[in-house]
Amino acid sequence: MGEYDIIGIVEAAIRWVHVFAAIMWIGQTYLFNFVERSLEPSDDENVAGNLCMVHGGGFYLVEKQKLPKMMPMTLHWFKWEAAATWLSGAVLITTRYYMGGLLVEPDMDFTIGVLVGVGAIVLGWIIYDVLVRSPLGRNEIVFGVVGLLLILGLHLMFTEFLSSRASFIHVGAVLGTIMAANVWMRILPSQRKMIALAKEGKRPEQTLMATGPLRSKQNSYMVVPLVFIMISSHYPSLSYGSDQSTLVLAVILVVGFAFARLLRGK
């Protein structure tokens, strides 16, 4: 077995982890979205609703409490799927693009390509987070339109410094980073603060309570077009290989957002 065989096996294993972790992350996101929109009203003032479900021969009663009546001994968190997806994706994009020669075209500067690619991934999260916290983030439609235009502008910028394939995949990397950062830097910290306040018998303010649902909802919108972007290398003529790749990306984003809205049911 040669060196390239070993590299191929390792890369295949990492890609396997990446895809499977993403399946679990996306599946959990949409499961909780389904629960949110399907809750039945409750007479209990502290219960936002409950839901009966059946799966695998078992029956489950899910109750959403506004504030926990008592802290459970074991509280399950859903976070490692997001971390595993992002970390494995970071390894893949590094090996395939930054080390594998796919980042730039022969007439482009590799160093500038690295700075643009990595810089956009970092700045993409910062800009998104600032916009969500701004007054713009309070209007879902306006925020969506502005977000769409920014993503398309980002792709146009990428095409000036990265290969067409790398440009497409880096838009996906920016969206994936935003999603993972939403989980680790906004959703989890807000939930921990809510738990700490609940232990003190205090009710969290509305802004804190709204952080998790808002970021989770936006993740559910981003992930649908993101999945197609990530498999775009299998369909180059329908994606990055098109002469109108930015227009193709626009269609993918609009259709993806619309389908996500349909899946959410609202």
Side-chain angles (χ1 to χ4, degrees):
M1 182 179 295
E3 177 183 352
Y4 290 103
D5 293 328
I6 296 175
I7 293 175
I9 291 173
V10 172
E11 184 176 306
I14 295 172
R15 191 176 298 277
W16 193 357
V17 170
H18 182 63
V19 172
F20 192 72
I23 290 172
M24 292 192 293
W25 184 13
I26 296 168
Q28 288 172 357
T29 296
Y30 276 98
L31 172 61
F32 278 96
N33 284 328
F34 167 79
V35 170
E36 284 288 339
R37 73 171 187 266
S38 304
L39 290 171
E40 298 290 340
S42 172
D43 295 331
D44 191 330
E45 292 184 358
N46 189 52
V47 177
N50 50 55
L51 176 67
C52 291
M53 299 187 294
V54 59
H55 181 73
F59 296 88
Y60 302 84
L61 175 62
V62 179
E63 181 180 84
K64 180 181 178 181
Q65 297 181 355
K66 297 176 182 178
L67 289 173
K69 297 176 182 178
M70 60 177 294
M71 292 306 301
M73 293 295 293
T74 302
L75 186 62
H76 297 281
W77 296 81
F78 298 89
K79 57 184 180 180
W80 295 115
E81 296 84 1
T85 302
W86 190 88
L87 289 172
S88 57
V91 172
L92 288 173
I93 200 172
T94 299
T95 55
R96 295 291 292 169
Y97 290 86
Y98 290 84
M99 297 173 60
L102 297 177
L103 185 66
V104 296
E105 302 291 355
D107 58 340
M108 293 178 175
D109 189 287
F110 177 77
T111 301
I112 294 178
V114 171
L115 293 175
V116 169
V118 176
I121 291 173
V122 175
L123 289 176
W125 155 250
I126 295 174
I127 293 172
Y128 159 83
D129 192 53
V130 170
L131 290 177
V132 173
R133 294 165 172 263
S134 73
L136 185 68
R138 301 185 192 128
N139 189 310
E140 185 175 287
I141 295 177
V142 174
F143 181 81
V145 171
V146 171
L148 174 64
L149 294 176
L150 287 175
I151 294 171
L152 296 178
L154 180 66
H155 179 257
L156 285 172
M157 182 198 71
F158 280 150
T159 58
E160 295 294 322
F161 303 100
L162 307 178
S163 68
S164 56
R165 179 173 173 175
S167 297
F168 231 71
I169 208 70
H170 272 73
V171 171
V174 171
L175 294 179
T177 298
I178 289 172
M179 290 176 58
N182 267 341
V183 172
W184 280 87
M185 300 182 68
R186 293 295 174 257
I187 297 175
L188 293 178
S190 67
Q191 290 175 333
R192 291 192 179 99
K193 291 177 182 177
M194 290 172 61
I195 291 172
L197 290 172
K199 289 180 178 179
E200 297 174 5
K202 300 178 181 178
R203 185 178 182 83
E205 59 185 41
Q206 187 60 36
T207 303
L208 183 62
M209 295 177 66
T211 298
L214 175 62
R215 300 297 179 116
S216 179
K217 180 179 182 179
Q218 291 178 350
N219 275 4
S220 72
Y221 273 72
M222 285 185 280
V223 73
V224 180
L226 173 59
V227 170
F228 188 89
I229 291 171
M230 288 307 185
I231 64 172
S232 62
S233 60
H234 297 285
Y235 309 99
S237 61
L238 298 177
S239 54
Y240 66 86
S242 169
D243 293 335
Q244 302 294 329
S245 58
T246 301
L247 179 59
V248 171
L249 179 61
V251 173
I252 292 171
L253 291 168
V254 171
V255 172
F257 291 161
F259 188 61
R261 186 174 182 85
L262 179 64
L263 288 176
R264 287 184 57 86
K266 59 181 179 179

